[in-house]
Amino acid sequence: MKKVFAVALGVLTAFGGFLDIGDLVTNAVVGSRFGLALVWVVVVGVVGICLFAEMSGRVAAVSGRATFEIIRERLGPRTAAANLLASFLINLMTLTAEIGGIALALQLATDVGPLMWIPVAAFAVWLVIWRVKFQIMENVTGLAGLCLIVFAVSVFALQPNWSTLGNDVLHPVVPENESAATYWYYAIALFGAAMTPYEVFFFSSGAIEERWKVKDLAVSRANVLVGFPLGGILSVAVATCAAIVLLPNQIEVTSLSQVVMPVVAAGGKLALAFVIIGIVAATFGAALETTLSGGYILAQFLGWSWGKFRRPAEAARFHVVMFVSIVVGAAVLFTGIDPIMVTEYSVVFSAIALPLTYLPILIVANDPQYMGEHTNGTVTNALGSIYLVVIVAASVAAIPLMIVTGAGQ
Amino acid sequence: MTSQQGRRRSRVAFAAVFLVALGLLLTQCPANRDGAPGVLAAALTETTSAVRSAALALDLRIRDRSTAELAAVQVTDAGDEVARAYSDIAELRIVDPADLDRQRLLAGFLNTALAELNRAAAQVRHLGGQPPLPDLRDRLLALADELETGYR
């Protein structure tokens, strides 16, 4: 019974914690401009994140070491340093977007400008990282994030024409007023949002924090293979809501306040309360994860003591890195930069850096020296190799498409 | 030729190809590719989208599905979007008389849109002295239609 509860809690936490500001904004933008013509990208992205998160969790559980520690040892300091630099900068960008997301969500509830909320959000993130236990932190934000199910409920409440929606999903076409380049630019943005690198670093380091062993692999797989696809359904629900309400009204999403419009149209003030709690929880949870991921990868690369299972005094440099990251993220937002713009760029830059994250994971998961009898099987390797081709293609095409489309204009 | 010289030449060749490719790519960015008419058309699309968004926000507020706080944020966001579009077209250096006429027409529309959105923001914040919300919503929708049909 205890094991069933652990699996259920893990699945629900993975489900509720799947969405972040990048997923919310990108899916809503795509839904309002392309309808459901890009749902297939979410499916491809979710399968990819399941594949590589399972691998990184397995590496951590079997070897007892986090992915980045092994990357440095297996690929050497120079390759690992390039990986670290790209991952750390993108992580910082994502953290900035998440803190901005918390501030914007709180603005929706209060009509108090985001600049007033940024210090509150940043302080709260630091306080939770400093004081709250890893498991409590993860479970509370993940479970509160389940409020975002309101997007899925709204799709039904809006009573759409299901056959039209189904046709849009199965026969995707580029709308007349959009170019093929913009379509593919947003395809890459959606892919980057679904496969954000911080998720796998957090997942593998979290496995060490929670002291996973080989016997926990089943629970880990259940979290990933059930929780993440359920989270993917929420991504599709966000896009569907926008496609039902905003697209026919010729409203293109440019702000978070527009993302919640379909939910309010469907369920009124009660739905609004749920969606605001859900967005705050999702962005807050993601801010915690990105802050920790930044600390994890730098500490693991440099061989510092790390982890929330240690007292802050025992992992001082790890905590300093996280504190500085939060301050830098908040400072960037105080320049007046639009958090939604930071979000849109962060998902595209994530896509550019994907090969640096996922190739080393595939190499390590294939190394019998670390993995013993738990090295990748033939099917996993075949899928991993196909995904690497897709990841490299997305990474190479991202910058040219960004220039040609003026970042999706 | 030593191998060091060969490596150096291939690096220079790679850098040259990269710079040419980047240059060609930059000619395809919307600002260079579409010129002033492209910027004006983008501003038109952004503005009509923002105005329609504010109208929907007011509609949800009128039907009591939304809160005053959310409606205020949504209308203010729409105003910010229109202000951005205004700043984009104001910075344009236009020489073609037809484009100049379009810029003037669009600037007039954007001014009207900003004024209406400011009124709507004041009304949802209960600042008084403004037309009722249904009137403001209808005026915004009419303005969006006028923008689309009037700008050619």
Side-chain angles (χ1 to χ4, degrees), chain A residues 111 249 252 257 265-266 269, chain B residues 49 52 64-65 74 77 125:
Chain A
D111 189 22
N249 281 302
E252 290 181 4
S257 65
K269 290 175 186 170
Chain B
S49 165
R52 287 184 194 284
D64 202 29
R65 298 192 77 71
Q74 287 166 331
D77 284 346
R125 290 188 173 107

Side-chain angles (χ1 to χ4, degrees), chain A residues 119-321:
Chain A
V120 178
F123 179 73
V125 169
W126 171 77
L127 194 66
V128 170
I129 290 210
W130 182 256
R131 299 294 305 171
V132 180
K133 281 188 178 157
F134 185 88
Q135 246 178 349
I136 295 173
M137 174 195 98
E138 209 190 354
N139 292 342
V140 170
T141 54
L143 293 176
L146 288 173
C147 286
L148 290 176
I149 290 174
V150 72
F151 276 105
V153 175
S154 297
V155 171
F156 291 93
L158 288 166
Q159 298 180 326
N161 183 335
W162 290 102
S163 66
T164 311
L165 289 183
N167 193 50
D168 288 350
V169 174
L170 297 173
H171 305 101
V173 284
V174 182
E176 276 176 17
N177 56 339
E178 300 286 355
S179 66
T182 319
Y183 178 86
W184 286 105
Y185 173 77
Y186 277 106
I188 289 173
L190 267 185
F191 189 61
M195 292 197 68
T196 325
Y198 81 84
E199 287 176 7
V200 288
F201 292 132
F202 179 76
F203 195 74
S204 89
S205 304
I208 307 297
E209 294 267 22
E210 292 179 330
R211 299 173 208 281
W212 284 2
K213 300 280 177 247
V214 175
K215 67 178 170 56
D216 299 310
L217 280 178
V219 179
S220 150
R221 284 193 183 121
N223 290 355
V224 170
L225 301 179
V226 182
F228 285 4
L230 287 173
I233 291 173
L234 286 189
S235 291
V236 174
V238 174
T240 311
C241 279
I244 296 168
V245 174
L246 304 180
L247 181 63
N249 281 302
Q250 297 164 281
I251 297 169
E252 290 181 4
V253 169
T254 53
S255 65
L256 190 66
S257 65
Q258 292 169 314
V259 176
V260 303
M261 269 181 176
V263 174
V264 175
K269 290 175 186 170
L270 182 64
L272 174 64
F274 271 97
V275 80
I276 290 177
I277 293 170
I279 294 175
V280 171
T283 48
F284 195 82
L288 296 173
E289 291 179 6
T290 44
T291 306
L292 281 164
S293 286
Y296 286 143
I297 58 178
L298 195 67
Q300 287 162 10
F301 177 80
L302 294 169
W304 296 342
S305 173
W306 61 272
K308 272 183 66 60
F309 60 89
R310 293 190 169 96
R311 289 174 51 238
E314 292 166 358
R317 286 177 289 193
F318 169 66
H319 277 273
V320 167
V321 169

